[in-house]
């Protein structure tokens, strides 16, 4: 009897079936057998299956259904009936198992007694040139765990709906009567839900177990698996039916929390998959779709709308109410992230997607509130505006276009000077080819929109090469009072009438001699080079066939190799090699200092303070500042280099000093002649470095590599013995590395405190006026810590843990709240709090804000250690303290040592704010003890001491 039976289902997939079966036979667990079930294939798949069974008679058996079932349920059920193993797994013929999958899942099942074991699925994009893989909901499998009730981890039922990355106890399947539904698609969703609910125990393993091979077609559609035939209304009908059955299952078992979680996922995933296709569907499809969707949406938990992105709620609401005129623009935003497709409505201090009478209903106001997207706070040059094509006509070589650009909340004022140009850009550009621009003569205000028209002699002016640049995208670049924003032309719901445009490619017309309009997968206008005559079509076929043959393969191989060489010359690995093998052979340039703050994102912190001290002393040093993004706010009297550029690498290789507060690139070795001054960016409450739980689990090689990075520090600035016990120990720094001088960034804070104590006068400085804060206002600074990880190049939107509108109502007449998000996050404030609450996250340096604030509100941010130096009131709002401590760990109990009141709820926070004046004296002793324990070396002269010790020989009067 085998330990595990793997049921492999196949339909017309003779080519890939052997690979799938081989992935089972090659398992490191040998007690595994295979049941192949052929769904009545017509391509010889069953012959292959029988051949595999004959070659492995003890381990492979093959069966064939009498008729094609049209789905996955019937063949899998047939496999369950013929399984002999103690456990059962499922595998599709176009996928594979990870080599240790059966062993890992069997071990977990035997160890825990679980009815069901689940591991991580990996989507493998088989046609990707770079071997792209994506882990399927990896956060569910971050660690091993055992669930005694699926309600303990709702996300498992909601998100991991696959049946194939799981191992089931066969007796559990038989005793529970678990079978896949037949005659309906999306059978995995229901089967998985039934299994989750029925299982007495579920084990999760943090291992890859299943490789799901995904193939993208050249036209952008995935290979036509059943679940991807979204153009068929029956597909959506089946999805709705499966969801209704799951809802009934959850009601039957009394699991309302799971129902809400599933409703959230339906709104943000299942519904979205079909909504994105609506602009490409006809009216009859849309009507039937709306009827099906509206009926189901009536049963959605209203609270689910609060847990999805605003645009998901907007689309669901408009679909439910059949408002197609507003729904299709909203779907455009759903498809094109960050596009603003509606003029927006501001009412009572909130921003809404639209009105059209919907805001008269409480339900409409809740669903259409998009204040949280922050669209109202974006400058014009950061807006991605919907530009709907309103007219299209082509005749001869000329195309006439017209469009309407949304103008949200009057971002472009009526008096603004307008200009525009159309840009035609090749999607794949060849040498000397790629972009053509044409002026747009007519741009005008039309209320909530901007209208435009243009007549372009496209066929005469645009001259493609004719081989690589066969698709051309269209953009309109709008200018208002000198500020420019770029739009795409939305054409998904627009008729593109007229003739193709004759063109003359520069190299050859063999593959096409006309431009034909088309709509991209995201709904935007594009033009494709096509053959416009029978002769050209014949030549195109000949060229296409040749391209598929040996000459074409040879040419493509050569082209790809050339591109690979080009990528290699500019890749990160090449730059690192260039740094070590070329730049590090150049002589050290004495007096050269490279400064960097927060990975080049800011001109701030102790590197800034030290740089300005060197400038005040007029030391003869060459200062170089690293920046990422745009060099806005960086000093004009320094050399600026973009992070990771060749000048940056060359500067680091030849610098006498490195100065930063986080880390220069990890893989760059510091030369012996370079001194690395690590100023760091704050004392530690949360565990750092090798004290972090995650680092303790990493392999030895990774920990050794991290230690080599930390060993680059020649001197590490220390502001207290607490830093020695925490940061220095966590980074395993040697005693001789530690420089007990305090932080240069805090010098100004210490001096401000001393001046205030001596004079009794608080000096606000010019920043209050710059921010427009009245002199009679008490200024509060809210500066929380970072709670997540950024990704994809975008900053993460932080949700404020208290109601800023309530703050504005209760305190706005006497207080101004400044919100300073972590540099990896951003916040969105509603218009209703203007003048009373301000987002100051864009200011590079937090120190001027600390000087300005009359009191600080924070949670776990290291800014608490700096602000304490000013001896002003501090309020702590660690609303999620137990969760935070469990996740990160801390070096001391903040609740016991906080030098100010600790609030755990919004009501407690606001109550503490009302007694702010009393806290100045009440917590004076706490603040003094806090500074003594965490800032004993911050004496106001850190920058002077560092400059004197390391740079005094560069004084212009010294002999050097």
């Amino acid at each position: 009897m085998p330990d595990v039976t793997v049921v492999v289902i196949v339909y017309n997939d003779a080519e890939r079936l052997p690979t799938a079966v081989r992935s089972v036979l090659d398992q490191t667990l040998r007690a595994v057998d295979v049941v192949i079930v052929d769904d009545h294939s017509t391509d010889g798949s069953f012959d292959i299956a029988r051949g595999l069974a004959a070659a492995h008679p003890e381990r492979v058996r093959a069966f064939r259904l009498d008729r094609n079932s049209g789905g996955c349920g019937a063949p899998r059920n047939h496999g369950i009936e013929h399984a002999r193993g103690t456990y059962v797994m499922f595998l599709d013929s176009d996928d594979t198992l990870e080599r240790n999958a059966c062993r890992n899942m069997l071990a977990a099942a035997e160890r825990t007694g679980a009815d069901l074991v689940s591991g991580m699925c990996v989507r493998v994009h088989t046609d990707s040139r770079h071997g792209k893989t994506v882990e399927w909901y990896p956060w569910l499998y971050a660690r091993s765990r055992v669930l005694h009730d699926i309600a303990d981890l709702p996300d498992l039922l909601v998100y991991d709906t696959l049946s194939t990355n799981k191992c089931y106890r066969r007796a559990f399947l038989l005793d529970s009567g678990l079978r896949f539904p037949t005659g309906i698609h999306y059978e995995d969703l229901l089967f998985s839900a039934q299994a989750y609910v029925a299982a007495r125990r579920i084990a999760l393993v943090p291992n890859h177990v299943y490789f799901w091979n995904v193939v993208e077609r050249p036209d952008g559609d995935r290979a036509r698996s059943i679940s991807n035939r979204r153009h068929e209304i029956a597909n959506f009908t089946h999805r709705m039916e499966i969801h209704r059955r799951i809802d009934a299952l959850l009601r039957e078992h009394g699991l309302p929390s799971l129902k809400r979680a599933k409703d959230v996922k339906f709104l943000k995933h299942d519904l979205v998959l079909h909504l994105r296709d609506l602009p490409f569907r006809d009216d009859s499809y849309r009507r039937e779709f709306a009827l099906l969707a509206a009926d189901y949406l009536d049963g959605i938990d209203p609270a689910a709308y609060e847990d999805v992105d605003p645009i998901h709620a907007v689309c669901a609401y408009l679909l439910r109410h059949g408002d197609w005129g507003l729904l299709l623009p909203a779907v455009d935003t759903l498809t094109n992230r960050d596009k603003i497709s509606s003029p927006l409505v501001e009412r009572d201090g909130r921003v809404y997607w639209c009105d059209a009478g919907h805001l008269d209903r409480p339900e409409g106001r809740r669903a259409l509130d998009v204040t949280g997207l922050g669209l109202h706070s974006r400058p014009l040059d950061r807006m991605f505006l919907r530009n709907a094509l309103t007219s299209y006509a082509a005749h001869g070589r000329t195309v006439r276009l017209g469009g309407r650009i949304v103008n949200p909340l009057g971002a472009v004022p009526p008096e603004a000077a307008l200009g525009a140009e159309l840009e035609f850009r090749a999607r794949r550009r060849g040498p000397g080819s790629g972009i053509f621009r044409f002026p747009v003569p007519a741009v005008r205000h039309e209320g909530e929109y901007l209208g435009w028209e243009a007549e372009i002699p496209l066929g005469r002016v645009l001259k493609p090469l004719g081989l690589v640049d066969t698709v051309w995208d269209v953009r309109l670049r709008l200018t208002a009072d000198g500020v420019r924003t770029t739009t795409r032309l939305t054409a998904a719901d627009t008729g593109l009438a007229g003739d193709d445009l004759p063109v003359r490619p520069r190299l050859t017309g063999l593959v096409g001699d006309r431009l034909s309009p088309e709509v991209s997968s995201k709904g935007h206008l594009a033009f494709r080079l096509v053959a416009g005559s029978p002769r050209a079509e014949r030549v195109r076929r000949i060229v296409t066939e040749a391209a598929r043959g040996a000459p074409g393969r040879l040419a493509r191989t050569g082209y790809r190799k050339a591109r690979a060489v080009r990528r290699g010359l500019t890749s990160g690995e090449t730059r690192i090699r260039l740094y070590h093998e070329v730049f590090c052979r150049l002589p050290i340039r004495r007096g050269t200092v490279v400064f960097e703050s927060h990975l080049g994102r800011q001109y701030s912190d102790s590197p800034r303070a030290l740089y300005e001290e060197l400038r005040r002393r007029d030391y003869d040093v060459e200062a170089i500042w690293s920046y990422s993004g745009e060099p806005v706010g960086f000093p004009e009297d320094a050399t600026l280099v973009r992070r990771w550029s060749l000048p940056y690498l060359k500067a680091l290789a030849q610098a006498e000093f490195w100065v930063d507060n986080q880390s220069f690139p990890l893989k760059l070795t510091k030369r012996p002649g370079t001194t690395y001054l690590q100023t760091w960016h704050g004392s530690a409450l949360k565990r750092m470095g090798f004290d972090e739980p995650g680092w303790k689990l990493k392999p030895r090689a990774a920990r050794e590599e991290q230690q080599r990075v930390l060993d680059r520090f020649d001197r590490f600035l220390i502001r207290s013995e607490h830093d020695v016990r925490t940061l220095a120990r966590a980074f395993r720094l040697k005693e001789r590395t530690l420089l007990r001088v305090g932080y240069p960034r805090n010098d100004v804070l210490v001096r401000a405190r001393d001046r205030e104590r001596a004079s009794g006068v608080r000096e606000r400085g010019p920043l209050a006026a710059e921010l427009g804060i009245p002199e009679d206002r008490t200024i509060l600074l809210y500066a929380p810590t970072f709670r997540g990880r950024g990704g994809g190049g975008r900053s993460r939107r932080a949700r404020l843990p208290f109601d800023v509108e309530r703050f504005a109502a209760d305190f706005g007449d006497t207080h101004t709240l400044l919100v300073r998000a972590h540099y990896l996050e951003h916040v969105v404030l509603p218009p209703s709090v203007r003048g009373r609450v301000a987002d100051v996250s864009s200011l590079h340096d937090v120190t001027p804000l600390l000087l300005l604030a009359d009191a600080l509100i924070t949670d776990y941010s290291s800014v608490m250690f700096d602000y304490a130096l000013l001896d002003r009131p501090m309020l702590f709002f660690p609303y999620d303290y137990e969760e935070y401590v469990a996740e990160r760990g801390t070096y001391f109990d903040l609740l016991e040592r906080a030098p100010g009141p600790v609030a755990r709820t919004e009501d407690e926070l606001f109550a503490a704010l009302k007694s702010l004046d009393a806290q100045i004296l009440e917590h004076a002793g706490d603040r003094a003890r806090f500074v003594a324990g965490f800032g004993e070396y911050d004496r106001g002269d850190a920058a002077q001491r560092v400059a004197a010790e390391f740079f005094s020989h560069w004084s212009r009067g010294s002999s050097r």
Side-chain angles (χ1 to χ4, degrees), residues 31-330:
V32 179
D33 74 342
V34 182
V35 171
I36 304 174
V37 182
D38 176 62
D39 197 11
H40 207 82
S41 296
T42 60
D43 73 338
S45 292
F46 187 53
D47 293 335
I48 298 295
R50 287 190 296 186
L52 291 167
H56 307 278
E58 301 299 321
R59 301 189 66 191
V60 180
R61 290 171 292 147
F63 302 89
R64 187 176 196 235
L65 299 188
D66 294 335
R67 62 179 62 85
N68 178 251
S69 69
C72 300
R76 286 179 182 157
N77 291 339
H78 198 78
I80 294 173
E81 294 172 7
H82 290 86
R84 297 182 301 195
T86 307
Y87 298 90
V88 178
M89 295 175 63
F90 301 103
L91 174 64
D92 293 345
S93 61
D94 54 347
D95 301 328
T96 57
L97 292 182
E98 196 276 334
R99 191 164 182 264
N100 298 294
C102 293
R103 178 180 297 279
N104 289 332
M105 299 181 94
L106 174 67
E110 296 292 276
R111 183 177 65 253
T112 64
D115 292 324
L116 185 162
V117 181
S118 189
M120 195 185 305
C121 172
V122 180
R123 287 168 59 95
V124 180
H125 293 257
T126 56
D127 55 349
S128 168
R129 297 177 185 173
H130 310 296
K132 178 183 176 182
T133 61
V134 179
E135 293 179 335
W136 192 249
Y137 302 116
W139 79 85
L140 295 172
Y141 300 97
R143 60 183 175 88
S144 297
R145 62 189 303 179
V146 178
L147 307 175
H148 296 275
D149 190 326
I150 187 59
D152 295 339
L153 185 60
D155 278 358
L156 187 63
L157 177 142
V158 170
Y159 289 98
D160 191 354
T161 57
L162 301 176
S163 65
T164 49
N165 60 331
K166 298 171 178 62
C167 179
Y168 311 84
R169 193 180 297 272
R170 183 162 62 95
F172 162 67
L173 296 179
L174 298 177
D175 295 345
S176 304
L178 277 174
R179 295 294 186 275
F180 289 88
T182 59
I184 189 169
H185 305 328
Y186 303 105
E187 56 279 296
D188 266 21
L189 275 68
L190 181 58
F191 180 84
S192 296
Q194 292 171 330
Y196 285 138
V197 170
R200 295 166 302 171
R201 191 171 297 160
I202 301 168
L204 306 182
V205 295
N207 306 99
H208 293 170
V209 299
Y210 193 89
F211 295 121
W212 177 5
N213 293 321
V214 180
V215 180
E216 302 285 344
R217 288 192 180 275
D219 61 2
D221 288 335
R222 288 186 174 87
R224 292 296 185 186
S225 64
I226 293 169
S227 60
N228 281 317
R229 297 172 188 163
R230 293 193 295 270
H231 62 291
E232 301 172 2
I233 194 64
N235 184 287
F236 188 63
T237 303
H238 287 198
R239 188 185 288 272
M240 293 297 93
E241 177 59 25
I242 287 292
H243 275 280
R244 288 188 182 92
R245 295 187 191 183
I246 296 175
D247 292 345
L249 172 73
L250 299 179
R251 284 195 300 271
E252 178 186 343
H253 288 81
L255 297 168
S257 62
L258 291 180
K259 170 66 165 62
R260 173 173 173 172
K262 192 193 74 67
D263 285 347
V264 169
K265 194 244 187 175
F266 176 82
L267 292 175
K268 65 195 297 187
H269 176 73
D270 299 75
L271 184 61
V272 168
L273 289 174
H274 296 269
L275 282 173
R276 286 173 174 163
D277 290 335
L278 281 185
F280 304 94
R281 304 289 171 250
D282 58 27
D283 287 340
S284 62
Y285 179 98
R286 292 177 185 174
R287 284 194 299 272
E288 193 168 355
F289 176 85
L291 289 173
L292 290 167
D295 181 52
Y296 185 78
L297 288 170
D298 285 340
I300 290 285
D301 184 342
Y305 287 89
E306 301 172 6
D307 295 333
V308 299
D309 287 345
I311 193 61
H312 294 145
V314 167
C315 289
Y317 172 87
L318 294 174
L319 175 62
R320 185 180 175 195
H321 290 274
D323 193 332
W324 290 98
L326 294 171
L327 173 61
L328 291 179

